[in-house]
Each structure stands twice: as structure tokens, then as C-alpha cells.
């Protein structure tokens, strides 16, 4: 199971490593902080969405209540027109002018509701908007009813039902799309709707009894309608009292406690005694006036309840707006804090690391090489020089301090190792120099003895062997001198007074190589070389000729050319051997000019190039390898003008 978990974890790690910012500390800090930040922002987003929904619901409720109040204004006007029209049809002809005037107010209220729907329709719930627009159809049908009333062909009961249908459609439309978010707002809207149904029952009673009182008695079925309306009013008022607050219930009691309401109650008692069809002696105008006062009082209570609901909706919207702003501000604050933490954390890590990186560059680029150079150039017998004061990096985390200490330990270890290497190099150099001097001293004594034997020997065969032994010792002496050159020591002087012919210098160099028979001096122009540099120039040529013989076929000759080039004199050692690659030739030329690989790291077979480079530096000569046309390598030696002159005398070159 563990293997399966690790197998599933590896692709995740690879995906993290493939993220654009994962390769930097800043990117990693940003990614690490982005995860909890995104989660917090997601939670805040849920809160913002919830508060936005509350704000939208509050705005919908506010717009809905505003339209409901407009609709109730229309209901009020239709109710008045219904009551006046019913009284007119009951026989009260004095209502004619009132009916005409009321129709105008009804149409004006209808136009106001339509305008409100067009203006506030976008903020209303869809169900409420559709129901209110559908309620316009029964209102449109009232046009025909009005025509029948004006023509005198209208039935009072049918006309009452037509107006009641229009009012009921408006009241039912008010109930559609009621808000269900805030409990207090929803309860207030329900109380408003219950009061609207109670007011409709009172207004319907006003209209129906207006016709009854105008006719003087109940007709068939009208008393039953009267009792049903009374029951509807009682039920609606009971529901309102359950939903309304104390202030709203008190306002309702005040509405039913007026003198007009008390007179209405007396009229209703008289109407209750007319169930048997007996004559009712109630003046329709007084009934209409007192009942209209009650209906107006109830409409005032409705408006107060509607204003209270709108105030609650506005308060809820304001609270939702404040909470929405708070959530947004919190989101911005969290995002800002996360960004600040990411920047601060990244900078607290990257700044010390940058300082350490700069210090490491300084150590590698200047301080460590300077310390090594100082150690190598210091007098071994002198007391050690004090270490220069090193700057301490600015304080940081414990891990950064450990990294700085580790870097200092690395620097100290490198300096210590450099000191050890300097001691080893100095020891090896001194050993090479001592060995070279001893060999040179012994070889000089050997060459002197061989020269004495050669002068005393008469046997040709023995003399040839002595000459061979002399040549071998001469080569050994060159190797001993090479040790001194590599050790940076001056070899014991083998100098000549005056000048020496360059041809003698070439012969001396050829005499110090093994296969001297393969070397041919071709076209060497006469020139004099100052005696103090003859030994070193001969040694330099011998090393170049030795390399040419070593890397050319056994039967292929090596040629030496010499010519004057302005104030300088040039020598060329030409072989037609295996040649060199451009890369290897560039490395060799770097060594011959004094650069390239260190002597202590160079391959043994290329030590001759280091000897030539050291001798060329002493003489101030320039040595360069170039490809020979065809195949092979040509070594060019440019002897400076300070070392040559036209020969005036010739001295023998010692063997």
C-alpha cells in the first residue's frame, strides 16, 4: 500500500516542479500561500454571494411592496367604483356623477400601476410580475360592464361580480411571488396581504349593501352573500392580528374604533335583521359615507404596514450592503496580507541568500585567489600574515546563519588546502632544484672526465664509444637543466663572451638530442647571438627539435631554418609528422606563451612545452606552433633584437 501511495505522489511532485514559479523561492512562497488564500477567498466568496442574495432579495421586496401599494391604490379605486355603481344600479340616481368621476380616478390609478410595472418590473419576482400583468385582463373587461351600466341593461348582481372579479385578481396577484428570505419581511408582506383581503371584504360589503340600502331590502341570495363577506372579513382580520405587530394591531383597533366605524356596526345590525326581506330604512348616502371612512382608515393602516415592510426591506438591504462591503474589504485585506506575507517571507529569505551568493562570488573571484597568491608569495621563514577582516552577512534565520557559517568553513578549508598545496609545491620545487643542481654538478664532472679520456684515447672504436657516451651525458645535462627551469631556478652559467654564430647555436641544440642524425640545418642565415643567452636559446631549440623528432616518422628528417625578420631573427623547426589538432595546438601555444595549464597539472609528455615557455619568457622571445603545409607542425621562434647582432667574432660552443 505504501508503494502505491508513493507511486501516486511522484506525479504530483513532478507536476509541482513543472509549475512556472516553482523553480524560485518567491514562486514557491507564492504557491504555498496561494492555497490557503484561495480557500479563504472561496469562503469569503460564499459569504459575498449570500450577502448579495440578501441584498437582491431586499431590493426585490422593496420594489414589490412599492408596486403592491400602487396595486392597492388601484384596488381602492375599483372598490369605490364598484360600490358607487352598485348603488346606482340599486336605484340611487344621485350616484351618476360620482360614478363618472370615479371611473376617471380608477383609470388614472390603473395607468399608474402600469407605469410602475414598466419601471420596477426588472426588480420584481417573475411570478409577481406575470400575475400583476395578468390581472389587467379583468380590468379591461370592465369597459364592457361600464357600457352596460350606462345603457341601463346591467344586472346589479352580475355587475358586482365583475368588479369583484377584477379586485380579487389584483389581490391574488399581490400574493404571487411573495418574498421568503427575511422572516420579518415575509411576515409583514403576509400581514399586508391579509389586511388587503379584510379591506376588500369591508369594501365589498360597502358596495353590496349600498345597492341593498338603495333598493330598500335584500333580494334573493344577497343576504347569504352578505354573511359570507362578513365571515371573510372576520377571518382575514384574525389572520392579520396573528401576523401584525403590536403597533399595527393598535392601528387596526383605532380604525374600527372611530365614530364612523361604530355607526357602520349599527347599520350592519339593521342589515342583519333584514334577512327575511323586510324593508331596510338606511340612507345609502350615510352608509356610503361612514363605510368609506372605514375603508379609508383601513387603507391608511395598509399604507402604514406597507411603509413598515418597505422600511424593513430597506434596512435589510442596507445591512446586506454593509456586510457585502465588509466581506469584500475582508477579501481585499486577506489578499493584501497574503501578498505582503509572500513578499516579506520571500525577501527575508532571498536577501540573505543574495548576500551569501555575492559573498561566494567574491570569495571565488577575488578573495580566495588573493589568499592563495599571498600564501604562495609569502616568505616561508616569515611569520604568517594576519587574515584580512571578512564582512559578516546581515542577520537572518538560523538556517541562513548556518549556511553563512558553512560558506566560511568552506573558505577556511580552501585557504588551508591552498596553504598545504603551496607548501607541497614549494617543497617539490626545492626538491627538483636540488636534484637538478646535483645532477648538473655530477654531469659536468662526468663530461670533463669524458673529454679528458677522449683526448688520451687513440683507438678509433673506443673513441667512438667515448663520443657516444659524451652525447648521452650532454642530453642528461639538458634534462638536469630542465629540472632547474621547471623549478624556476637559474642554471649555473654556461655563457660565452662576445657573440656566437647562430649556426653554432643550432649545432649545439642538435647535439643535445638523441636522433641528431635526422636533423638538417637548411638555409640558416648568418647572425650573431649574444653569448649570455646562448645556453638558454640552445636549450629552447633542443626541446623543440626533440618534440619534432618524437612526433615524426623515424626516417623523416626534421629541418631547421633561420632568417632575419627586420630587427628580429626567426628560427623554424619543421617536421612533417602526425601533426596536432587545432584544440591541442591552441593549448600548447597558450603554454608556450606563459599561460595554459599549470605545471603541476600538465601531462608529463608536455613538460617540454613548459620548459620552452619558461625559457622564452626569460629571453623575451616569442614561440608559436603552426601547422606545416601538408602535414606536421612547425615551431617558430622569434628572437628579440636585443639578443642578436651581426657577428664580429666566433667562439666555440662547448659540448
Amino acid at each position: 500500500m505504501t508503494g502505491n501511495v508513493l507511486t501516486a505522489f511522484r506525479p504530483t511532485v513532478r507536476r509541482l516542479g513543472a509549475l512556472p514559479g516553482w523553480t524560485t523561492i518567491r514562486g514557491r512562497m507564492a504557491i504555498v500561500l496561494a492555497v490557503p488564500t484561495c480557500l479563504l477567498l472561496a469562503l469569503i466568496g460564499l459569504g459575498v454571494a449570500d450577502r448579495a442574495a440578501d441584498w437582491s432579495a431586499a431590493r426585490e421586496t422593496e420594489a414589490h411592496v412599492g408596486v403592491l401599494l400602487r396595486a392597492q391604490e388601484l384596488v381602492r379605486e375599483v372598490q369605490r367604483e364598484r360600490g358607487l355603481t352598485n348603488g346606482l344600479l340599486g336605484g340611487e340616481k344621485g350616484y351618476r356623477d360620482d360614478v363618472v368621476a370615479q371611473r376617471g380616478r380608477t383609470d388614472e390609478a390603473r395607468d399608474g400601476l402600469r407605469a410602475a410595472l414598466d419601471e420596477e418590473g426588472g426588480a420584481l419576482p417573475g411570478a409577481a410580475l406575470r400575475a400583476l400583468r395578468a390581472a389587467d385582463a379583468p380590468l379591461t373587461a370592465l369597459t364592457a360592464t361600464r357600457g352596460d351600466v350606462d345603457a341601463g341593461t346591467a344586472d346589479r348582481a352580475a355587475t358586482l361580480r365583475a368588479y369583484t372579479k377584477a379586485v380579487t385578481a389584483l389581490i391574488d396577484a399581490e400574493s404571487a411571488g411573495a418574498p421568503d428570505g427575511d422572516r420579518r419581511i415575509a411576515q409583514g408582506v403576509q400581514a399586508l396581504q391579509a389586511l388587503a383581503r379584510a379591506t376588500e371584504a369591508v369594501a365589498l360589503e360597502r358596495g353590496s349593501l349600498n345597492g341593498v340600502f338603495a333598493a330598500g331590502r335584500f333580494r334573493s341570495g344577497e343576504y347569504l352573500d352578505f354573511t359570507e363577506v362578513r365571515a371573510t372579513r372576520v377571518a382575514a382580520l384574525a389572520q392579520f392580528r396573528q401576523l401584525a405587530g403590536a403597533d399595527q394591531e393598535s392601528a387596526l383597533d383605532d380604525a374600527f374604533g372611530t365614530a364612523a366605524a361604530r355607526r357602520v356596526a349599527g347599520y350592519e345590525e339593521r342589515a342583519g335583521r333584514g334577512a327575511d326581506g323586510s324593508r331596510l330604512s338606511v340612507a345609502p348616502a350615510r352608509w356610503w359615507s361612514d363605510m368609506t371612512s372605514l375603508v379609508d382608515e383601513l387603507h391608511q393602516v395598509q399604507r402604514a404596514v406597507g411603509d413598515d415592510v418597505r422600511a424593513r426591506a430597506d434596512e435589510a438591504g442596507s445591512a446586506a450592503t454593509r456586510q457585502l462591503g465588509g466581506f469584500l474589504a475582508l477579501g481585499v485585506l486577506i489578499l493584501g496580507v497574503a501578498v505582503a506575507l509572500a513578499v516579506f517571507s520571500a525577501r527575508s529569505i532571498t536577501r540573505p541568500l543574495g548576500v551569501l551568493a555575492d559573498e561566494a562570488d567574491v570569495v571565488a573571484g577575488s578573495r580566495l585567489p588573493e589568499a592563495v597568491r599571498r600564501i604562495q608569495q609569502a616568505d616561508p621563514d616569515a611569520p604568517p600574515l594576519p587574515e584580512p577582516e571578512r564582512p559578516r552577512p546581515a542577520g537572518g534565520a538560523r538556517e541562513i546563519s548556518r549556511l553563512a557559517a558553512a560558506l566560511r568553513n568552506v573558505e577556511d578549508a580552501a585557504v588551508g588546502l591552498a596553504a598545504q598545496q603551496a607548501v607541497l609545491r614549494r617543497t617539490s620545487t626545492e626538491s627538483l632544484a636540488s636534484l637538478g643542481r646535483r645532477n648538473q654538478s655530477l654531469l659536468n664532472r662526468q663530461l670533463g672526465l669524458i673529454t679528458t679520456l677522449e683526448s688520451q684515447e687513440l683507438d678509433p672504436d673506443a673513441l667512438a664509444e667515448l663520443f657516444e657516451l659524451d652525447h648521452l651525458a650532454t642530453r642528461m645535462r639538458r634534462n638536469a637543466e630542465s629540472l632547474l627551469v621547471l623549478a624556476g631556478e637559474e642554471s649555473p652559467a654556461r655563457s660565452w663572451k662576445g657573440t656566437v654564430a647562430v649556426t653554432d647555436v643550432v649545432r649545439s641544440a642538435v647535439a643535445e638530442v638523441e636522433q641528431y642524425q635526422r636533423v638538417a640545418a637548411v638555409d640558416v642565415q648568418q647572425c650573431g647571438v649574444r653569448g649570455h643567452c646562448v645556453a638558454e636559446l640552445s636549450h629552447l631549440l633542443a626541446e623543440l627539435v626533440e618534440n619534432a623528432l618524437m612526433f615524426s616518422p623515424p626516417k623523416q628528417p626534421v629541418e631547421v631554418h633561420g632568417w632575419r625578420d627586420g630587427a628580429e631573427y626567426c628560427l623554424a623547426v619543421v617536421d612533417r609528422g602526425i601533426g596536432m589538432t587545432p584544440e591541442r595546438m591552441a593549448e600548447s601555444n597558450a603554454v608556450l606563451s606563459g599561460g595554459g595549464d599549470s605545471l603541476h597539472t600538465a601531462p608529463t609528455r608536455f613538460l617540454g612545452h613548459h620548459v620552452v615557455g619558461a625559457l622564452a619568457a626569460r629571453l623575451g622571445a616569442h614561440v608559436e606552433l603552426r601547422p606545416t603545409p601538408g602535414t606536421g607542425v612547425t615551431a617558430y621562434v622569434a628572437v628579440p633584437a636585443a639578443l642578436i647582432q651581426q657577428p664580429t667574432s666566433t667562439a666555440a660552443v662547448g659540448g
Side-chain angles (χ1 to χ4, degrees):
M1 179 177 180
T2 304
N4 295 334
V5 173
L6 292 176
T7 303
F9 179 71
R10 290 191 188 99
T12 304
V13 175
R14 287 195 293 269
R15 286 194 295 270
L16 285 175
L19 292 175
W22 192 253
T23 56
T24 63
I25 292 178
R26 288 187 176 89
R28 294 189 180 191
M29 293 295 298
I31 292 174
V32 169
L33 289 176
V35 175
T37 302
C38 289
L39 293 177
L40 287 175
L41 291 178
L43 293 176
I44 291 174
L46 294 177
V48 168
D50 190 31
R51 299 288 80 74
D54 291 344
W55 179 85
S56 178
R59 290 295 173 264
E60 284 187 359
T61 300
E62 190 174 358
H64 191 196
V65 171
V67 173
L68 288 184
L69 293 178
R70 287 295 188 96
Q72 288 177 2
E73 290 293 334
L74 176 58
V75 167
R76 179 184 179 186
E77 300 302 333
V78 175
Q79 289 171 344
R80 290 174 65 89
E81 182 178 344
R82 177 183 59 186
L84 291 172
T85 302
N86 199 37
L88 177 63
L89 295 178
E92 187 65 36
K93 303 301 181 179
Y95 286 142
R96 171 67 64 182
D97 295 336
D98 294 335
V99 168
V100 173
Q102 184 58 41
R103 288 176 180 176
R105 288 191 291 271
T106 301
D107 293 339
E108 183 178 352
R110 182 184 179 188
D111 294 337
L113 178 60
R114 288 177 176 177
L117 291 178
D118 293 337
E119 181 178 354
E120 303 286 346
L124 290 176
L129 181 61
R130 290 190 296 271
L132 288 171
R133 293 194 182 279
D136 192 63
L139 293 173
T140 304
L142 290 180
T143 303
T145 302
R146 290 174 176 177
D148 293 340
V149 171
D150 293 339
T153 59
D155 179 68
R156 182 157 59 89
T159 301
L160 184 65
R161 286 194 298 271
Y163 277 99
T164 301
K165 180 179 180 182
V167 173
T168 303
L170 286 172
I171 294 176
D172 292 342
E174 294 175 5
S175 303
D180 54 0
D182 187 277
R183 185 184 62 83
R184 293 178 58 198
I185 294 177
Q187 184 173 338
V189 173
Q190 292 174 3
L192 181 63
Q193 293 168 351
L195 185 57
R197 288 191 293 271
T199 304
E200 160 59 12
V202 173
L204 180 59
E205 180 184 352
R206 178 186 63 178
S208 62
L209 288 184
N210 196 32
V212 170
F213 290 150
R217 61 176 56 84
F218 285 106
R219 294 183 180 178
S220 176
E222 289 182 339
Y223 184 80
L224 181 60
D225 293 338
F226 166 68
T227 57
E228 290 180 355
V229 170
R230 290 287 302 275
T232 301
R233 184 183 73 177
V234 171
L237 289 175
Q239 183 182 7
F240 172 77
R241 292 182 183 278
Q242 292 177 354
L243 298 172
D247 294 341
Q248 297 170 350
E249 191 171 359
S250 176
L252 181 65
D253 293 338
D254 291 342
F256 280 100
T258 62
R262 290 194 295 271
R263 289 193 294 271
V264 166
Y267 300 148
E268 290 174 343
E269 290 180 3
R270 295 181 189 179
R273 293 193 293 268
D276 55 356
S278 59
R279 184 167 183 81
L280 300 174
S281 58
V282 176
R286 295 185 61 186
W287 161 258
W288 177 261
S289 176
D290 292 337
M291 198 61 166
T292 298
S293 297
L294 177 59
V295 172
D296 290 343
E297 290 291 334
L298 292 178
H299 274 292
Q300 291 299 323
V301 176
Q302 278 184 275
R303 180 167 294 277
V305 173
D307 291 340
D308 185 54
V309 173
R310 291 183 69 175
R312 291 180 184 177
D314 183 68
E315 180 182 353
S318 299
T321 301
R322 290 192 299 271
Q323 293 175 358
L324 182 61
F327 274 103
L328 292 176
L330 181 61
V332 173
L333 178 62
I334 290 176
L335 186 60
V337 170
V339 172
L341 285 176
V343 172
F344 175 76
S345 301
R347 292 180 67 181
S348 65
I349 297 175
T350 56
R351 278 190 172 181
L353 288 180
V355 172
L356 289 178
D358 294 339
E359 185 178 358
D361 291 337
V362 172
V363 169
S366 60
R367 203 156 71 206
L368 187 57
E370 178 64 23
V372 172
R373 183 191 61 79
R374 188 174 62 253
I375 292 172
Q376 291 176 346
Q377 294 179 355
D379 186 358
D381 298 327
L385 297 175
E387 290 290 332
E389 185 178 355
R390 295 177 294 185
R392 291 188 174 274
R398 184 186 307 171
E399 292 80 1
I400 302 297
S401 301
R402 289 184 59 190
L403 181 59
L407 180 61
R408 291 181 179 276
N409 292 336
V410 170
E411 182 181 359
D412 294 338
V415 172
L417 182 60
Q420 293 178 3
Q421 289 183 347
V423 173
L424 291 175
R425 289 184 180 184
R426 186 181 300 114
T427 302
S428 62
T429 300
E430 292 176 352
S431 300
L432 288 175
S434 177
L435 183 60
R437 291 192 195 96
R438 292 179 183 180
N439 287 341
Q440 191 179 42
S441 177
L442 293 174
L443 288 170
N444 285 334
R445 291 172 57 188
Q446 183 180 6
L447 285 171
L449 180 59
I450 292 173
T451 301
T452 302
L453 292 176
E454 287 176 343
S455 64
Q456 298 175 357
E457 185 60 53
L458 298 177
D459 185 359
D461 293 334
L463 187 60
E465 292 178 354
L466 288 174
F467 284 153
E468 187 68 25
L469 184 60
D470 189 328
H471 179 253
L472 182 60
T474 302
R475 291 172 54 210
M476 293 174 64
R477 183 181 62 184
R478 178 170 61 86
N479 290 335
E481 291 175 351
S482 295
L483 284 177
L484 294 175
V485 172
L486 292 174
E489 299 288 336
E490 295 288 341
S491 61
R494 286 195 299 127
S495 60
W496 291 261
K497 296 180 181 180
T499 60
V500 178
V502 70
T503 54
D504 292 336
V505 176
V506 173
R507 291 193 192 100
S508 175
V510 173
E512 295 183 358
V513 300
E514 181 178 3
Q515 302 178 30
Y516 59 89
Q517 301 90 347
R518 292 171 50 200
V519 182
V522 180
D523 191 17
V524 178
Q525 297 180 4
Q526 289 299 321
C527 179
V529 180
R530 296 186 183 277
H532 67 86
C533 65
V534 169
E536 292 178 339
L537 181 58
S538 175
H539 192 173
L540 184 150
L541 289 174
E543 292 290 342
L544 294 176
V545 172
E546 187 79 55
N547 284 341
L549 291 171
M550 186 181 301
F551 294 103
S552 61
K555 296 183 180 181
Q556 183 71 39
V558 173
E559 299 176 353
V560 179
H561 299 263
W563 68 94
R564 293 188 68 88
D565 185 6
E568 295 181 341
Y569 190 86
C570 294
L571 291 166
V573 180
V574 182
D575 74 71
R576 292 174 176 80
I578 60 177
M580 300 176 69
T581 63
E583 293 79 10
R584 182 64 246 177
M585 186 173 292
E587 294 175 3
S588 298
N589 283 327
V591 174
L592 294 174
S593 63
D597 296 331
S598 171
L599 170 63
H600 297 274
T601 60
T604 306
R605 59 176 179 160
F606 296 118
L607 288 178
H609 286 168
H610 285 274
V611 175
V612 173
L615 292 172
R618 292 180 184 181
L619 296 171
H622 176 71
V623 182
E624 183 180 358
L625 301 181
R626 299 177 186 175
T628 300
T631 182
V633 177
T634 299
Y636 292 90
V637 181
V639 183
L643 302 181
I644 62 173
Q645 68 179 30
Q646 294 297 330
T648 57
S649 62
T650 304
V653 178

